[in-house]
Amino acid sequence: MNSQWFNIMDGAVCAECERLLQATDEMRAQGTVIYPPSKDVLNALKTTPPSKVKAVIIGQDPYHDEGQAMGLSFSVPKGVKLPPSLRNIFKELHDDIGCDIPESGDLTSWAKQGVLLLNTVLTVEAHKANSHKKLGWQTVTLAVLKTCAALEQPVVFICWGKPALALAQAAMDESGRTDNYIIASTHPSPLSANNRKSELHSFMGSKPFSKSNEILNQNGIEPIQWSFSE
């Protein structure tokens, strides 16, 4: 974890994070295949320190097939085939701001600009989606979201799906801040990307990238360069 996060988060949360890292390393030592690699589990926090956070994109858990997960929500390493949700994200990116659809699914450039790409659960067993949902990661990641909601600068929470929206609202409610923002829609998964669900706009057509930059501009914060060259 980036030292900035350690310095501002509760010691009990940091201890729980260390416990979870140790527990998953022990599973690996016993032969269980876990993604992402140990060195990348905290990649989101390493790449985007709290002082740089402008926006948060909340995912569920890491991709569970070989070579996909890299510790950044929705991101895959360069050269890896784009998962369906990421393909839809790039389609919406193109429709929203007019940029070319990237060939690479590596979203590190977003993270370096201040987009915290945080999964709710930070590890997963190979080929078993959401297999670590009861391991305890939510204690850590909800604390991270609460920290984001309480930062000096306003933060845009980009929430795709009801679970992500619920987490962001819980974090904002506890912070007591009123100058954070939520942009919410359905999930970019092919099962829901084109469907409106009660109060949630369908992901396709929701324009999260231009909307977040509009909010950042209104608050005197440098916008995100969402497009990137190959």
Side-chain angles (χ1 to χ4, degrees), residues 186-204:
T186 60
H187 195 275
S189 162
L191 295 174
S192 58
N194 289 291
N195 299 327
R196 185 183 183 95
K197 291 185 179 179
S198 60
E199 77 279 8
L200 289 182
H201 191 289
S202 62
F203 172 77
M204 304 307 294

Side-chain angles (χ1 to χ4, degrees), residues 53-209:
V53 174
K54 301 176 182 179
V56 183
I57 295 179
I58 305 168
Q60 178 178 277
D61 66 337
Y63 296 121
H64 54 81
D65 288 335
E66 183 177 1
Q68 293 181 316
M70 56 182 294
L72 303 175
S73 62
F74 297 101
S75 181
V76 294
K78 187 175 182 179
V80 174
K81 182 180 178 180
L82 301 183
S85 291
L86 187 53
R87 287 201 300 269
N88 280 338
I89 289 169
F90 284 167
K91 287 178 184 177
E92 179 60 20
L93 178 68
H94 167 74
D95 291 346
D96 186 3
I97 66 174
C99 69
D100 293 337
I101 294 178
E103 294 182 6
S104 171
D106 187 345
L107 306 180
T108 300
S109 66
W110 291 0
K112 288 183 176 179
Q113 293 180 75
V115 183
L116 181 64
L117 299 170
L118 186 71
N119 281 315
T120 308
V121 175
L122 300 187
T123 56
V124 68
E125 188 172 340
H127 315 304
K128 295 181 180 179
N130 223 13
S131 51
H132 284 183
K133 65 180 180 180
K134 296 183 179 179
L135 205 61
W137 281 116
Q138 293 91 333
T139 298
V140 176
T141 52
L142 181 56
V144 170
L145 294 175
K146 290 177 180 177
T147 299
C148 291
L151 291 172
E152 181 178 350
Q153 69 272 20
V155 172
V156 181
F157 289 86
I158 301 173
C159 304
W160 295 332
K162 287 186 176 180
L165 177 58
L167 278 171
Q169 288 177 327
M172 291 175 62
D173 288 347
E174 184 157 327
S175 75
R177 290 278 297 274
T178 58
D179 58 348
N180 291 306
Y181 301 85
I182 286 180
I183 298 173
S185 72
T186 60
H187 195 275
S189 162
L191 295 174
S192 58
N194 289 291
N195 299 327
R196 185 183 183 95
K197 291 185 179 179
S198 60
E199 77 279 8
L200 289 182
H201 191 289
S202 62
F203 172 77
M204 304 307 294
S206 62
K207 301 185 181 299
F209 308 103

Side-chain angles (χ1 to χ4, degrees), residues 22-34 125 132 135:
Q22 183 177 352
T24 50
D25 282 345
E26 289 174 356
M27 293 178 197
R28 296 178 203 269
Q30 294 170 4
T32 302
V33 178
I34 293 174
E125 188 172 340
H132 284 183
L135 205 61

